[in-house]
Amino acid sequence: MRVMNIAAAMVLLGSLAACGDGSSSADGGAVTLRMTTWSANEAHVKLFTDIAAAYHGAHPNVTVTFDALPVENYTTAVTTQIAGGNTPDLAWILESAAPDFVSSGALVPLDDAVENPSEIAPTTTALWKQDGKLLAYPFSTSPFGVFVNTDLVPDLPTGDDWTWDAAIGAAKKAAVSSGKQGLVPRDFDYKDWTNLAPIFDAWGAQAWSADGKTCGFDKQPMVDAMTFIHQAIFDDKAIPGPGVAADFFAGDAAMTITQISRASLLEDAPFDWTLVRLPSGPRGTYAVFGQAGIGVLKKGEHVDEAKDFLRFFTNDANSAKLAAYFPPPRTPQLTPETLAESNPLLKPENLKDVVIDGISSGVVKPSHRNSAEIVQAVRSALDPMWKPGADVPAVLTGVCTAIQPLLTK
């Protein structure tokens, strides 16, 4: 039912957008802007509110509030708010929902609301543009890397030896010797399969074709990648199996795949650790990143003020502050030295390998129009694979059977 509500809300979103823009407070009266986010992380909230307070200091009539919604149903909650007439002024948009929001007509073009647009790396804006217009600012382009507990993996392979075979071998060895878990794909938990993209892309596997019309799960690269993942879980015991909880940041696992925004969880870690790029695979060295954009909703009550706050929130100075958790799209800030200033827990060389090189060469996690319905269909069709002895090719054929009609809808 939730998936159908999202689809219906996106249709309504487009029809509402056609009714005209929201109003602005031209007389300088009091304005309260509301921006939805998915993060209730204490450090993130403090940073956002500090930026908002600085903006309020320069614009006393404008107050900015942040509405943190659970990530598990974030897009559902936002689209429900919009469909119910409780439209936020600004919204944090996940990459999986970008095609729906960008194509819906619900977002205000932002080309005149971004400071120094020539600084923005073109690779970061592809998902957020339509007809040449920027419809959301990609304030976070965050490649995936591997955090490693070097107390549990003291002999971490490096250079050309850092491959997926080596990574799983090291994770298995650490799990056996420590009694803890090996490699945790963060936020996967046998639910959000898109968080396996940092693994399966090593084989050149893609969920669907570049034009989004053809399923890729039954293609050989995905069959090979998912076979590798299945063996790592059930044969090697290198990845925690279904129902097994393991928090790398609490010391429960040897490695985890995630983004640098989680580094703050390691500030007081009782173990030594490092951050390294994704291991190379059959396609060689590669990178995968997640993105988040900020959009201004046409049906928000204060469009002009929202655009002005967006300009301030994403200007050079605040972009540098946000870089502590959300790698910026601005090329002058994508240097090891600059990122290290905002990320003191991480070494410049690690930031270069994972973040800078990842942004320049990586691909974004899977996204598609009507993504909520498609993602749920994939999740359900993959369920038979998460058990010993599963027929991986047959399961993946079943995924394509389930989603091919949705891809061309």
Side-chain angles (χ1 to χ4, degrees):
M1 182 64 69
R2 176 188 300 171
V3 170
M4 293 309 295
N5 286 342
I6 293 176
M10 296 311 296
V11 171
L12 181 57
L13 202 59
S15 63
L16 288 175
C19 296
D21 293 353
S23 61
S24 63
S25 182
D27 60 1
V31 169
T32 297
L33 300 176
R34 180 169 62 91
M35 174 174 155
T36 58
T37 78
W38 64 260
S39 178
N41 178 285
E42 184 177 347
H44 299 173
V45 172
K46 183 180 186 306
L47 176 56
F48 294 168
T49 54
D50 286 349
I51 293 174
Y55 185 80
H56 179 70
H59 304 80
N61 67 310
V62 181
T63 300
V64 183
T65 63
F66 298 94
D67 184 6
L69 306 172
V71 66
E72 293 81 7
N73 62 350
Y74 175 79
T75 300
T76 307
V78 173
T79 53
T80 299
Q81 286 186 8
I82 296 169
N86 183 31
T87 305
D89 298 285
L90 305 99
W92 181 334
I93 302 170
L94 304 178
E95 77 281 309
S96 60
D100 281 325
F101 273 91
V102 168
S103 65
S104 70
L107 300 176
V108 176
L110 299 177
D111 297 277
D112 62 345
V114 175
E115 184 179 274
N116 300 324
S118 63
E119 292 181 355
I120 301 174
T123 56
T124 67
T125 60
L127 196 60
W128 309 98
K129 280 190 170 184
Q130 185 175 53
D131 299 328
K133 295 180 180 179
L134 183 68
L135 295 177
Y137 177 87
F139 83 101
S140 177
T141 298
S142 191
F144 288 85
V146 182
F147 284 92
V148 181
N149 180 331
T150 52
D151 288 354
L152 298 181
V153 189
D155 52 350
L156 182 70
T158 60
D160 292 342
D161 293 330
W162 180 233
T163 64
W164 270 110
D165 284 334
I168 291 301
K172 177 181 178 180
K173 179 180 178 181
V176 170
S177 63
S178 69
K180 299 184 178 183
Q181 297 297 322
L183 171 71
V184 178
R186 180 86 174 186
D187 299 324
F188 165 49
D189 195 28
Y190 296 90
K191 296 175 183 176
D192 188 353
W193 61 269
T194 67
N195 285 310
L196 291 178
I199 303 178
F200 65 62
D201 200 72
W203 279 256
Q206 296 296 314
W208 37 75
S209 57
D211 63 7
K213 295 179 180 180
T214 304
C215 179
F217 278 90
D218 59 355
K219 304 299 186 288
Q220 196 60 48
M222 186 67 82
V223 172
D224 293 342
M226 287 296 191
T227 298
F228 177 86
I229 292 170
H230 189 274
Q231 291 174 346
I233 297 167
F234 297 103
D235 297 341
D236 298 323
K237 312 294 185 186
I239 296 176
V244 178
D247 184 358
F248 169 85
F249 299 95
D252 298 338
M255 307 177 194
T256 190
I257 306 168
T258 191
Q259 296 153 302
I260 67 167
S261 59
R262 306 296 176 90
S264 60
L265 299 173
L266 290 166
E267 186 169 4
D268 299 314
F271 53 85
D272 289 334
W273 58 274
T274 189
L275 171 67
V276 295
R277 63 170 175 81
L278 295 173
S280 59
R283 63 169 288 196
T285 302
Y286 69 105
V288 177
F289 54 76
Q291 278 197 303
I294 300 176
V296 172
L297 278 300
K298 283 184 179 179
K299 292 304 296 180
E301 292 186 8
H302 306 290
V303 169
D304 291 343
E305 290 84 354
K307 287 175 65 177
D308 193 66
F309 176 68
L310 177 66
R311 176 187 290 273
F312 181 80
F313 190 79
T314 61
N315 66 20
D316 285 351
N318 287 323
S319 182
K321 296 175 184 177
L322 291 165
Y325 311 104
F326 312 107
R330 298 182 176 277
T331 51
Q333 295 174 344
L334 291 175
T335 69
E337 296 75 21
T338 302
L339 287 178
E341 290 178 9
S342 302
N343 297 272
L345 293 177
L346 299 171
K347 297 177 181 178
E349 58 267 30
N350 300 140
L351 289 166
K352 179 184 182 304
D353 289 347
V354 175
V355 179
I356 298 172
D357 292 349
I359 289 175
S360 66
S361 64
V363 297
V364 71
K365 285 174 60 183
S367 63
H368 201 286
R369 289 190 63 180
N370 196 24
S371 63
E373 186 175 6
I374 294 170
V375 167
Q376 180 59 38
V378 173
R379 174 183 167 180
S380 297
L382 280 177
D383 279 346
M385 193 167 82
W386 308 130
K387 60 183 181 181
D391 186 337
V392 175
V395 171
L396 297 178
T397 296
V399 173
C400 284
T401 299
I403 70 168
Q404 186 58 53
L406 301 176
L407 297 179
T408 55
K409 194 186 229 179

